[in-house]
Amino acid sequence: MVADTADIGRACRHGPSRPWAARVPDGPPTRHVAGPRENRDVRIAMATTGAGRVEFFDPDGDLHHELPAAEASAEVARLEAESSPRWIWRDAREWAPMLLADGVRVARCHDLRLCGAILASSTAVAAGSIVRARPAWLPAGPAESGADAQPAAAASVDRGPALFDLDRVPVAAAAEAPGAAELAAEHDRQLALVAAADRPAALRLLLAAESAGALIAAELHAAGLPWRRLVHERVLEEALGPRPPFGRKPERMEALAQRVRDELDAPSLRLDSQADLLRALRAAGIGVDSTAKWELREHDHPAVAPLLAYKRLARLLSANGWAWLDEWVVDGRFRADYVAGGTATGRWATSGGGALQLPKAVRAAVVADPGWSLVVADAAQLEPRVLAALARDPAMAAAGRGRDMYRAIVDAGVVATRDEAKVALLGAMYGATTGDSGRLVPQLAKAYPRAMGLVDRAARDGEAGRQVTTLLGRSSPLPPAWWREAQAAASQPEATAAEERRARSAARDWGRFTRNFVVQGTAAEWALCWLAGVRTRLSAMASGERSAGVPGPAFARSPHLVYFLHDELIVHAPAGMADDVAVAVREAAAEAGRLLFGEAPVEFPLDLAVTESYASAGA
């Protein structure tokens, strides 16, 4: 089976090879990315029609029929084998999970929800040239909801309607849903917006990658991350003690809590109440403004050490304790609910399971099945390298060529230590103005003026309330209404000093957001192309043999993606194929760099390990 992400591979091979001076792949339209009559000249819209039926419609051909929902998976499999169409879906979350449960994987789709959200706010789309409004049945995306849209986006996600099960398709929901012809019309509208955009090839690539990400997110959930419950329980018992009765704290947390109470002379103190804890600390002469770890460490008091230990164990218990294990690990697999495009920058989120925050303490539980291996890959210093390529900064590009970028900055005499290099570079991208970052950023500006100039311009745009845009065309949200009201109030002749301070603070905060948006968003685009390229190569390796050792009928005895975290991925692979998978993962990373940045002299190296346990990958 050719994976959906073959589009991205073809774009890299057949698209224009741009010199480094060309910042954006804006040459002739990239082939095989989106459009009618591509992908063997077939695109098929798929929708529910009510009464438990599913409609299939090729707007450019003769195919148009309905089937009972129970027969839909088999029909998708037949059409996929015959013509490998681009499936036009309102939302991949409505279809991909159910198809995977029935053993069907599709090569490519166009997710109207995700792509519509990108197009609705992208500055690359020519304003006024085409009607930008989209139908009401397409929900808003993170970029239209403000910079803090991640919780709302994540909260809107559930496990999706089970469209192939008659007893789980709500009649009212099906009646309100658009038909296949409406989906095809929306696809045409989106293609027209892309065709009229400033950089159609770049935008086509972004939509293809975003849609591929929607498929991959569903496949990650279906496959699940191999997880050893006994190992996890041992980690918890070693850290916390035996599992306590319901409603009780583990014994080691109780012992630490008692030590804190004794040292603070507060016998009834509830350590989990931030307000009570803060009062007790101040009453004991510990002058803190918060209970943050970094602030507590500045005070030499016998209560601090047990309190920090308690907070560390409390975090483990709440995030990955026994309750988490019972809920999220089933049949030896951890299945998180990934949200593709779940934040304004395009980074993924999760709506459950906390997959994007797996602490090192529990990674020992991630162990390959017998006869299998984990291929763990981490894109080293991704965002600084993306910044170097975006800014076309030759000095910064040279710093990352063939070596640790932070160490190279030290060797160039910009700062004294590797830690200072990391703090300074991250501070420059995130807008830090105080502490070590504020002190060191000016030194970076002298050494790497193009890179620092790029993020400074993005910050100024944000402070002025303007949008900024990633390499491929995802734009930041406009500031929310309260922000605009604050700026307007401060501009009035009768504005108070307090109003002016509030406006300046809000402007700086929004500038910090846009400063990082262009870098983080473009890094997310690189990661999507990397993921997609890996999926393509893994699909080509498929042997076609079914294996009882792989969960879910959709996965053959072949390597498959099981985890993704911003710039890190894990492939679960038969041990005999692991070395080939490692090569494929490296090739996909190099291809993603060429696809976005052409022949830019910026390397995207990977920290890569073939191992049985995730915990040993970074050893």
Side-chain angles (χ1 to χ4, degrees):
M1 183 188 81
V2 179
D4 163 84
T5 49
D7 295 343
I8 292 174
R10 292 191 189 106
C12 187
R13 291 189 291 275
H14 300 300
S17 177
R18 311 299 295 170
W20 195 27
R23 287 181 54 196
V24 180
D26 58 353
T30 307
R31 296 180 58 220
H32 305 292
V33 174
R37 313 315 302 173
E38 289 185 356
N39 309 318
R40 303 184 186 177
D41 293 338
V42 177
R43 57 176 179 152
I44 299 176
M46 187 173 173
T48 56
T49 62
R53 297 181 69 81
V54 177
E55 180 184 15
F56 296 85
F57 175 51
D58 176 0
D60 310 301
D62 298 329
L63 185 148
H64 191 188
H65 61 262
E66 294 182 13
L67 290 173
E71 300 176 18
S73 292
E75 181 67 355
V76 170
R78 182 185 71 81
L79 293 170
E80 184 73 17
E82 286 183 358
S83 55
S84 187
R86 180 178 301 282
W87 295 94
I88 303 172
W89 292 337
R90 176 177 63 171
D91 188 337
R93 298 173 303 181
E94 296 175 341
W95 298 103
M98 303 305 118
L99 288 169
L100 290 167
D102 286 342
V104 179
R105 296 178 72 194
V106 301
R108 53 183 61 79
C109 79
H110 182 98
D111 188 305
L112 293 170
R113 177 186 66 90
L114 290 174
C115 295
I118 291 172
L119 294 171
S121 59
S122 177
T123 61
V125 176
S129 63
I130 297 176
V131 176
R132 295 167 63 106
R134 65 179 185 272
W137 44 262
L138 279 185
E144 300 161 273
S145 306
D148 297 323
Q150 177 173 333
S156 69
V157 179
D158 54 26
R159 295 180 187 274
L163 299 180
F164 296 166
D165 289 348
L166 292 175
D167 61 344
R168 291 190 288 169
V169 180
V171 174
E176 295 167 1
E182 292 177 89
L183 298 185
E186 170 60 12
H187 188 229
D188 287 337
R189 186 189 74 87
Q190 292 187 9
L191 295 181
L193 288 172
V194 173
D198 294 338
R199 303 186 302 274
L203 205 50
R204 286 189 183 99
L205 175 59
L206 176 56
L207 300 190
E210 190 83 343
S211 296
L215 292 175
I216 294 168
E219 291 172 1
L220 289 172
H221 178 88
L225 185 63
W227 203 278
R228 299 287 180 88
R229 183 183 183 93
L230 291 178
V231 175
H232 190 141
E233 289 175 337
R234 185 166 63 248
V235 169
L236 294 178
E237 289 176 3
E238 289 175 354
L240 299 164
R243 183 172 187 169
F246 180 77
R248 295 284 300 276
K249 288 284 195 304
E251 62 181 27
R252 290 192 183 152
M253 287 183 64
E254 291 284 10
L256 288 167
Q258 189 57 50
R259 284 182 57 193
V260 174
R261 295 186 189 106
D262 292 343
E263 296 294 350
L264 295 179
D265 194 20
S268 61
L269 173 62
R270 296 176 301 162
L271 270 69
D272 296 327
S273 168
Q274 296 300 305
D276 289 356
L277 178 58
L278 198 56
R279 280 194 295 270
L281 290 168
R282 290 171 177 170
I286 306 174
V288 291
D289 295 322
S290 72
T291 61
K293 177 172 59 177
W294 64 268
E295 189 170 359
L296 289 170
R297 283 176 172 168
E298 294 179 355
H299 297 270
D300 184 15
H301 189 282
V304 169
L307 176 56
L308 290 174
Y310 177 90
K311 289 169 69 71
R312 184 171 61 253
L313 294 184
R315 170 62 182 168
L316 173 61
L317 178 65
S318 63
N320 300 102
W322 289 279
W324 180 92
L325 187 58
D326 292 341
E327 179 177 3
W328 289 102
V329 177
V330 179
D331 297 330
R333 290 296 186 273
F334 165 47
R335 292 183 172 86
D337 288 330
Y338 289 94
V339 185
T343 68
T345 63
R347 271 191 166 191
W348 286 17
T350 57
S351 64
L356 306 184
Q357 296 178 346
L358 288 183
K360 291 183 179 179
V362 301
R363 292 182 182 182
V366 181
V367 179
D369 291 340
W372 290 65
S373 296
L374 301 177
V375 180
V376 183
D378 182 357
Q381 302 155 353
L382 176 59
E383 289 190 6
R385 295 173 190 277
V386 165
L387 173 58
L390 271 175
R392 295 170 291 164
D393 192 313
M396 183 172 280
R401 195 149 46 245
R403 52 183 170 167
D404 177 345
M405 178 177 281
Y406 300 137
R407 174 56 57 188
I409 292 174
V410 175
D411 293 343
V414 179
V415 294
T417 68
R418 187 184 185 279
D419 285 345
E420 285 188 344
K422 184 175 182 178
V423 166
L425 197 46
L426 294 179
M429 290 189 294
Y430 284 89
T433 58
T434 60
D436 288 341
S437 292
R439 175 176 58 84
L440 297 169
V441 165
Q443 297 170 232
L444 281 185
K446 292 180 181 178
Y448 310 114
R450 289 189 178 182
M452 297 304 105
L454 184 144
V455 291
D456 286 344
R457 286 191 298 274
R460 289 194 296 271
D461 283 340
E463 290 173 3
R466 294 188 290 268
Q467 290 177 283
V468 296
T469 300
T470 63
L471 179 73
L472 296 185
R474 191 190 305 269
S475 296
S476 64
L478 288 166
W482 66 263
W483 188 96
R484 295 190 296 272
E485 291 167 0
Q487 305 308 313
S491 67
Q492 300 301 314
E494 65 276 13
T496 66
E499 287 174 326
E500 292 176 352
R501 286 195 301 271
R502 180 170 180 260
R504 284 195 299 270
S505 176
R508 286 194 298 269
D509 288 345
W510 200 260
R512 280 192 288 271
F513 167 65
T514 55
R515 169 186 290 271
N516 184 245
F517 184 96
V518 288
V519 180
Q520 187 180 106
T522 303
E525 292 166 354
W526 180 95
L528 271 180
C529 290
W530 179 38
L531 265 181
V534 170
R535 182 180 188 255
T536 297
R537 287 163 172 80
L538 298 185
S539 295
M541 294 180 181
S543 65
E545 300 176 7
R546 295 292 180 185
S547 169
V550 181
F555 296 96
R557 186 172 176 79
S558 59
H560 51 279
L561 285 157
V562 293
Y563 184 67
F564 174 59
L565 169 62
H566 302 322
D567 54 7
E568 181 178 3
L569 61 79
I570 300 177
V571 176
H572 195 218
M577 302 177 70
D579 289 341
D580 290 337
V581 169
V583 171
V585 170
R586 289 191 187 279
E587 288 178 348
E591 183 179 78
R594 291 193 301 271
L595 184 55
L596 266 67
F597 302 112
E599 299 306 318
V602 178
E603 296 177 352
F604 294 93
L606 302 178
D607 294 327
L608 191 146
V610 177
T611 180
E612 292 184 1
S613 170
Y614 186 20
S616 63

